[in-house]
């Protein structure tokens, strides 16, 4: 990773606060460690901050629904906004234009991540439709319709779990990227920029895996509750509900109503979470595409 290199950045440094014009001394460009601040370009420090925030969110294991998931999406979006600022710097573009094969690997990594988030958006749309269908079935006490919606919801959950596994694979790939140039030598400034790209890709992949996995777990939990409320071992869900209506004791009818009410409440919570996810996931997808486009432009300019 980049933190193994001494960092001596050739980017424009923060302007001196001294009123006397003088040439920068050698100490102004001293090597620095990751843990200590330096007069490096502020965009680099800003990007480091967002990388740490994304990693912290992914490692904490988001426990509850919409608030935590929405926060994760916001962190990833902020990370790529900062990464876009870095890629806009002419100095960073000059360094990356000579990165050669490393740039190709970064292009592949961010393409995989953009594809994963594009598929995530499709899965979220499908899941939203399945949840809406299940809610309608619960409100109409239509057991067969609810069972069908639950099966569809489980399929959507499995797709989200598959995407989480794919994102975890993306998290491994960037960490193996070589930051050596074609001649086996790399400057400190190039190591800094290339290392930040590597860390950004790895952090995004880890957060994406956590995000997809959390939504898949939420969907599976709600689907399980809905299935248990309307199914039995040997008969269709509709038969169960019909039998429930024929029960003579009012206590059992009240219990049935309470159960279906609890299912409807869980489905509504999931529906609200999905609605919050849609806007955030769209922003992250666009950010990933913009990051890859910026890298592709740098790569193309180097070729021609």
């Amino acid at each position: 990773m980049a933190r193994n290199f001494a960092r001596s950045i050739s980017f424009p440094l923060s302007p001196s606060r001294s009123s006397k014009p003088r040439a920068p001394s050698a100490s102004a460009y001293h090597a620095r460690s990751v843990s200590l601040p330096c007069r490096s370009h502020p965009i680099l420090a800003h990007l480091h901050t967002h990388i740490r925030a994304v990693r912290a969110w992914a490692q904490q294991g988001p426990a509850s629904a919409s608030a935590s998931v929405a926060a994760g999406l916001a962190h990833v979006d902020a990370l790529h906004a900062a990464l876009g600022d870095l890629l806009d710097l002419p100095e960073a573009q000059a360094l990356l234009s000579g990165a050669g094969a490393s740039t190709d690997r970064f292009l592949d990594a961010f393409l995989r991540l953009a594809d994963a988030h594009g598929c995530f958006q499709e899965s979220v749309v499908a899941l939203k439709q399945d949840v809406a269908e299940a809610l309608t079935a619960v409100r109409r006490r239509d057991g067969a319709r609810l069972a069908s919606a639950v099966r569809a919801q489980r399929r959507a959950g499995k797709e989200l779990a598959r995407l989480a596994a794919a994102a975890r694979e993306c998290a491994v790939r960037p960490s193996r990227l070589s930051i050596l140039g074609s001649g086996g030598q790399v400057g400190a400034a190039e190591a800094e920029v290339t290392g930040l790209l590597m860390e950004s890709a790895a952090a995004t992949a880890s957060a994406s895996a956590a995000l997809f996995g959390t939504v898949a777990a939420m969907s599976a939990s709600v689907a399980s509750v809905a299935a248990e409320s309307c199914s039995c071992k040997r008969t269709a869900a509709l038969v169960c509900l019909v039998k429930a209506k024929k029960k003579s004791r009012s206590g059992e009818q009240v219990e049935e109503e309470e159960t279906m009410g609890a299912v409807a409440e869980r489905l509504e919570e999931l529906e609200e979470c999905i609605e919050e996810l849609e806007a955030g996931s769209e922003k992250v997808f666009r950010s990933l595409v913009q990051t890859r486009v910026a890298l592709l432009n740098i790569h193309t300019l180097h070729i021609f």
Side-chain angles (χ1 to χ4, degrees), residues 1 170-177 198 202:
M1 300 296 287
C170 290
V172 174
R173 289 176 181 272
S175 64
R176 296 175 181 170
L177 293 178
M198 187 190 308

Side-chain angles (χ1 to χ4, degrees), residues 232-249:
C232 62
K233 293 183 178 180
R234 298 183 179 180
T235 57
L238 179 60
V239 175
C240 295
L241 290 179
V242 170
K243 287 183 177 180
K245 289 182 178 180
K246 292 181 179 180
K247 291 177 181 178
S248 58
R249 287 176 293 177

Side-chain angles (χ1 to χ4, degrees), residues 10 24 32 39 45 68 97 110 127 153 177 224 232 256 259 267:
S10 59
R32 64 187 176 92
R39 294 182 183 180
S68 183
S97 65
F110 285 112
L127 181 60
Q153 187 176 329
L177 293 178
S224 178
C232 62
E256 181 71 22
T259 299
L267 287 167

Side-chain angles (χ1 to χ4, degrees), residues 4-275:
N4 294 327
F5 294 86
R7 303 199 176 169
S8 177
I9 307 305
S10 59
F11 286 0
L13 302 184
S14 300
S16 173
R17 296 184 180 180
S18 174
S19 58
K20 297 180 180 180
R22 60 178 181 177
S25 63
S27 62
Y29 300 93
H30 63 277
R32 64 187 176 92
S33 67
V34 174
S35 60
L36 297 177
C38 184
R39 294 182 183 180
S40 177
H41 198 289
I43 288 179
L44 300 181
H46 189 54
L47 185 53
H48 273 298
T49 299
H50 285 296
I51 290 172
R52 288 193 296 269
V54 169
R55 282 179 169 169
W57 180 86
Q59 291 172 1
Q60 74 181 5
S64 65
S66 57
S68 183
V69 172
L73 286 168
H75 282 311
V76 174
D77 183 56
L79 166 60
H80 282 269
L83 186 56
D85 291 338
L86 173 64
L87 295 176
D88 283 340
L89 290 176
E91 294 83 0
Q93 295 173 4
L95 290 170
L96 290 171
S97 65
S102 293
T103 304
D104 290 334
R105 295 189 183 98
F106 288 131
L107 285 168
D108 179 67
F110 285 112
L111 176 61
R112 289 173 179 271
L113 289 169
D115 284 344
H117 277 268
C119 293
F120 175 66
Q121 284 186 297
E122 295 176 1
S123 297
V124 166
V125 170
L127 181 60
K128 183 179 180 180
Q129 294 173 345
D130 297 335
V131 171
E133 180 71 11
L135 261 174
T136 301
V138 168
R139 289 163 180 164
R140 295 181 178 179
R141 300 297 187 267
D142 189 335
R145 188 174 181 178
L146 177 58
S148 177
V150 167
R151 287 193 296 269
Q153 187 176 329
R154 282 176 169 167
R155 286 194 296 269
K158 289 180 180 179
E159 175 63 16
L160 287 168
R162 185 191 67 79
L163 288 175
R168 281 190 290 271
E169 175 65 17
C170 290
V172 174
R173 289 176 181 272
S175 64
R176 296 175 181 170
L177 293 178
S178 170
I179 61 174
L180 296 179
S182 57
Q185 300 295 327
V186 62
E190 185 178 342
E192 173 81 359
V193 174
T194 312
L196 280 171
L197 276 169
M198 187 190 308
E199 292 181 22
S200 297
T204 300
S206 297
S208 299
L211 170 69
F212 302 161
T214 299
V215 179
M218 290 164 51
S219 175
S221 175
V222 175
S224 178
V225 171
E228 289 176 1
S229 69
C230 70
S231 64
C232 62
K233 293 183 178 180
R234 298 183 179 180
T235 57
L238 179 60
V239 175
C240 295
L241 290 179
V242 170
K243 287 183 177 180
K245 289 182 178 180
K246 292 181 179 180
K247 291 177 181 178
S248 58
R249 287 176 293 177
S250 60
E252 292 181 353
Q253 291 177 350
V254 171
E255 182 180 356
E256 181 71 22
E257 289 296 324
E258 290 178 349
T259 299
M260 300 307 286
V263 172
E265 184 177 354
R266 293 287 301 276
L267 287 167
E268 287 170 356
E269 290 176 356
L270 181 56
E271 188 176 49
E272 290 175 2
C273 177
I274 292 171
E275 289 175 354

